[in-house]
Amino acid sequence: MCELYSKQDTLALRRKHIGPSCKVFFAADPIKIVRAQRQYMFDETGEQYLDCINNVAHVGHCHPEVVKAALKQMELLNTNSRFLHDNIVEYARRLAATLPEKLSVCYFTNSGSEANDLALRLARQFRGHQDVITLDHAYHGHLSSLIEISPYKFRKGKDVKKAFVHVAPTPDTYRGKYREDHADPASAYAEEVKEIIEEAHNSGRKIAAFIAESMQSCGGQIIPPAGYFQKVAEYVHRAGGVFIADEVQVGFGRVGKHFWSFQMHGEDFVPDIVTMGKPMGNGHPMACVVTTKEIAEAFSSSGMEYFNTYGGNPVSSAVGLAVLNIIENEDLQGNATRVGDYLTELLNKQKAKHTLIGDIRGIGLFIGIDLVKDRQKRTPATDEAQHVIYEMKEKRVLLSADGPHRNVLKIKPPMCFTEEDAKFMVDKLDEILTVLEEAIGVQSESMISENAPCRAKLPNEAHSELLSDGTSDPRENPSPKRNGLCTDKHSLLSKRLKT
């Protein structure tokens, strides 16, 4: 396919016409992607990149069955979803069949943000309550109503947390308040939610909902401890609120053994509302809220009609049905389990080899690599993580880094990812970490010392970008030397761009 513009012209036009807050991946040296197939993306020169982060292309980029379904329906009809049509009801029926029985009523939208906004409306209408409990570092979407309940976003701005928003600690057993050595971290974290509810009630406030990603992605690939959601749901229900499970990033079989991530917590835990999006249409914009008949009827009793012009339209529903068929026909859940287990095994071997790796966590094809400067202190290796993702890009592997300290390498590839892809990715990571650790003087945990001299500068590539605000992450340990790495304001790593 011919390009309209050269890469430089595309960049120039983007700077002129696209809002400056709309960032691209690898902003200092962005990739211009012109086509993609399955787990691979290709730039304008024909270079192939292994896509390890695109959870939108869930069943694989440009899957022929998805393309065929969209084209066939587009040639026949696409119209306002308020007309009677078979596709929307067939898709709702198929979708409900993947969920616990009580979750049976669907509201279709165009994005995960729309879905989460609607979920809040449903929750608030149900009992007439207003307050929302969210998790620290959570991200639920870009609408104003969701920025208000997304600490991942609102703490980066100047807005003061709204009085109706209550932030509970992230149930992170690696770097959080209660860690893996705690006797019962699930109960301890849930108790924090209980205390928030009690404080809210004492102030005359009422809880409408607790909302949580079933596994935090932007928050650093966090897997809640077993039993946490059950206990939280008990406290929230007792307070007259509902439990909203945000599956926008992690649903549709990504965890392998279960179709929905919340199902990892057992059959005795069922959310009151589930939101979904991103992977649902394999890149086609579609999302959904699924809830109980009781909550749906309460929403309808307000007298306000709800409609969404494009949500659940015939083409979107046809695409969604194709995605469900592919997940089943190609055993992508089984693939997520097999390849995910293999990848985790390879990464744990790397953890034994590289002291920069503090933790490997995840399930299925949702995995995080937590990079640290010091394993004992678990000091986030923010700059090192930024260096790694750029070096991986040079080796034609696409990764991203996120989490509160932007030090967690995120792996959430298309579900057709193979064991060969996993081996290739890990081999490249091994090469980069080996060079990086040699450059910064890290050899083994036993040799790390606060008094170790700076051994060497990083490779030239390490200083190709500046931090977007010109400073290091203020949450990092300010010690001038860590693990033999010079970390003053002239450090090469501190100049690594955040993406």
Side-chain angles (χ1 to χ4, degrees):
M1 180 178 179
C2 293
E3 296 176 76
L4 292 176
Y5 306 106
S6 68
K7 181 177 179 179
Q8 290 307 312
D9 287 346
T10 302
L11 279 168
L13 285 167
R14 185 179 179 93
R15 293 188 186 107
K16 182 178 180 180
H17 295 297
I18 306 300
S21 57
C22 301
K23 305 297 184 182
V24 295
F25 285 126
F26 311 105
D29 183 24
I31 309 169
K32 184 177 181 180
I33 296 297
V34 298
R35 66 184 181 93
Q37 193 70 37
R38 293 180 62 79
Q39 65 271 47
Y40 303 106
M41 304 179 81
F42 301 85
D43 69 14
E44 79 282 7
T45 70
E47 285 286 351
Q48 175 180 290
Y49 293 83
L50 177 62
D51 184 358
C52 299
I53 54 176
N54 216 315
N55 61 333
V56 176
H58 190 65
V59 299
H61 291 278
C62 303
H63 195 291
E65 293 301 316
V66 174
V67 174
K68 184 167 67 175
L71 178 61
K72 182 179 178 181
Q73 184 58 51
M74 182 68 81
E75 289 179 328
L76 188 64
L77 170 73
N78 197 31
T79 187
N80 193 307
S81 59
R82 298 177 79 181
F83 286 102
L84 190 64
H85 195 272
D86 286 345
N87 283 7
I88 188 171
V89 295
E90 173 62 6
Y91 186 62
R93 183 188 71 80
R94 290 278 303 278
L95 196 61
T98 68
L99 289 155
E101 186 176 359
K102 79 170 189 176
L103 294 168
S104 60
V105 182
C106 300
Y107 296 87
F108 290 103
T109 67
N110 306 292
S111 71
S113 291
E114 278 190 68
N116 280 331
D117 178 77
L118 179 57
L120 291 181
R121 289 177 59 192
L122 289 166
R124 285 170 168 155
Q125 177 65 29
F126 185 50
R127 302 287 189 199
H129 300 174
Q130 290 298 311
D131 286 27
V132 177
I133 302 173
T134 186
L135 293 178
D136 204 2
H137 312 307
Y139 175 65
H140 295 292
H142 62 79
L143 301 184
S144 297
S145 63
L146 304 174
I147 295 296
E148 291 174 344
I149 63 165
S150 296
Y152 177 81
K153 287 290 186 180
F154 72 60
R155 290 192 176 176
K156 292 183 179 180
K158 297 179 180 180
D159 295 336
V160 176
K161 181 175 70 66
K162 301 294 191 294
F164 63 81
V165 178
H166 310 275
V167 181
T170 304
D172 177 2
T173 57
Y174 178 70
R175 186 174 276 108
K177 187 174 181 179
Y178 309 107
R179 300 186 175 183
E180 71 278 359
D181 57 353
H182 190 279
D184 187 359
S187 295
Y189 279 117
E191 192 68 23
E192 297 273 350
V193 176
K194 181 181 178 183
E195 290 176 7
I196 286 173
I197 293 171
E198 291 172 350
E199 289 173 7
H201 286 178
N202 290 338
S203 300
R205 310 195 69 90
K206 295 182 178 180
I207 303 300
F210 172 91
I211 183 169
E213 300 157 87
S214 298
M215 301 187 294
Q216 271 197 346
S217 182
C218 293
Q221 308 294 87
I222 304 301
I223 317 296
Y228 171 70
F229 280 166
Q230 283 95 330
K231 291 180 172 62
V232 168
E234 178 187 340
Y235 299 145
V236 171
H237 288 155
R238 195 183 301 166
V242 301
F243 192 112
I244 303 172
D246 180 342
E247 293 264 340
V248 170
Q249 297 215 51
V250 297
F252 291 87
R254 180 158 293 277
V255 296
K257 294 181 180 179
H258 303 283
F259 200 84
W260 303 104
S261 296
F262 72 79
Q263 292 172 320
M264 294 187 301
H265 296 270
E267 293 183 1
D268 61 333
F269 170 68
V270 179
D272 303 291
I273 301 173
V274 177
T275 60
M276 54 196 76
K278 292 184 189 298
M280 194 171 180
N282 207 56
H284 183 87
M286 60 185 303
C288 187
V289 179
V290 185
T291 189
T292 66
K293 288 184 178 180
E294 183 183 13
I295 292 174
E297 287 170 359
F299 186 57
S300 179
S301 70
S302 69
M304 182 186 295
E305 180 186 1
Y306 173 80
F307 65 89
N308 188 308
T309 303
Y310 296 113
N313 68 74
V315 171
S316 293
S317 298
V319 167
L321 285 165
V323 170
L324 291 180
N325 289 338
I326 293 163
I327 292 171
E328 181 178 350
N329 294 340
E330 298 184 8
D331 188 26
L332 294 185
Q333 280 186 250
N335 188 67
T337 296
R338 291 186 296 272
V339 178
D341 288 349
Y342 177 68
L343 178 53
T344 300
E345 179 185 346
L346 293 179
L347 289 172
N348 277 317
K349 290 179 180 177
Q350 292 299 309
K351 179 184 174 184
K353 179 178 180 181
H354 297 289
T355 55
L356 276 171
I357 299 178
D359 190 36
I360 303 295
R361 53 181 176 264
I363 183 169
L365 287 175
F366 181 88
I367 299 170
I369 306 170
D370 198 311
L371 299 186
V372 297
K373 297 177 185 293
D374 184 306
R375 279 190 177 174
Q376 296 301 315
K377 297 178 181 178
R378 303 186 180 185
T379 313
T382 301
D383 300 323
E384 290 83 349
Q386 305 309 310
H387 173 74
V388 167
I389 63 173
Y390 271 83
E391 290 299 299
M392 289 291 278
K393 177 178 76 77
E394 293 304 309
K395 294 181 181 294
R396 306 298 184 257
V397 178
L398 303 182
L399 284 177
S400 64
D402 220 324
H405 306 282
R406 303 190 74 84
N407 69 304
V408 180
L409 305 181
K410 295 167 62 172
I411 302 172
K412 45 188 180 65
M415 294 276 281
C416 52
F417 207 69
T418 67
E419 291 187 356
E420 291 75 17
D421 296 325
K423 180 70 164 55
F424 179 79
M425 188 213 82
V426 173
D427 285 347
K428 298 305 178 185
L429 180 63
D430 181 24
E431 292 173 13
I432 291 166
L433 291 179
T434 298
V435 172
L436 179 57
E437 289 179 340
E438 181 180 350
I440 62 179
V442 174
Q443 294 183 12
S444 68
E445 283 197 283
S446 62
M447 296 182 67
I448 293 173
S449 167
E450 288 295 320
N451 298 318
C454 289
R455 295 282 302 279
K457 290 186 177 181
L458 287 168
N460 290 333
E461 301 93 322
H463 57 82
S464 59
E465 300 88 24
L466 297 173
L467 280 173
S468 56
D469 60 358
T471 60
S472 297
D473 191 318
R475 291 165 291 195
E476 285 195 72
N477 186 334
S479 172
K481 290 184 180 180
R482 292 188 293 267
N483 299 352
L485 168 63
C486 286
T487 56
D488 62 20
K489 63 181 179 181
H490 300 295
S491 167
L492 296 178
L493 268 180
S494 72
K495 296 178 181 179
R496 175 57 69 183
L497 176 71
K498 291 181 179 180
T499 58

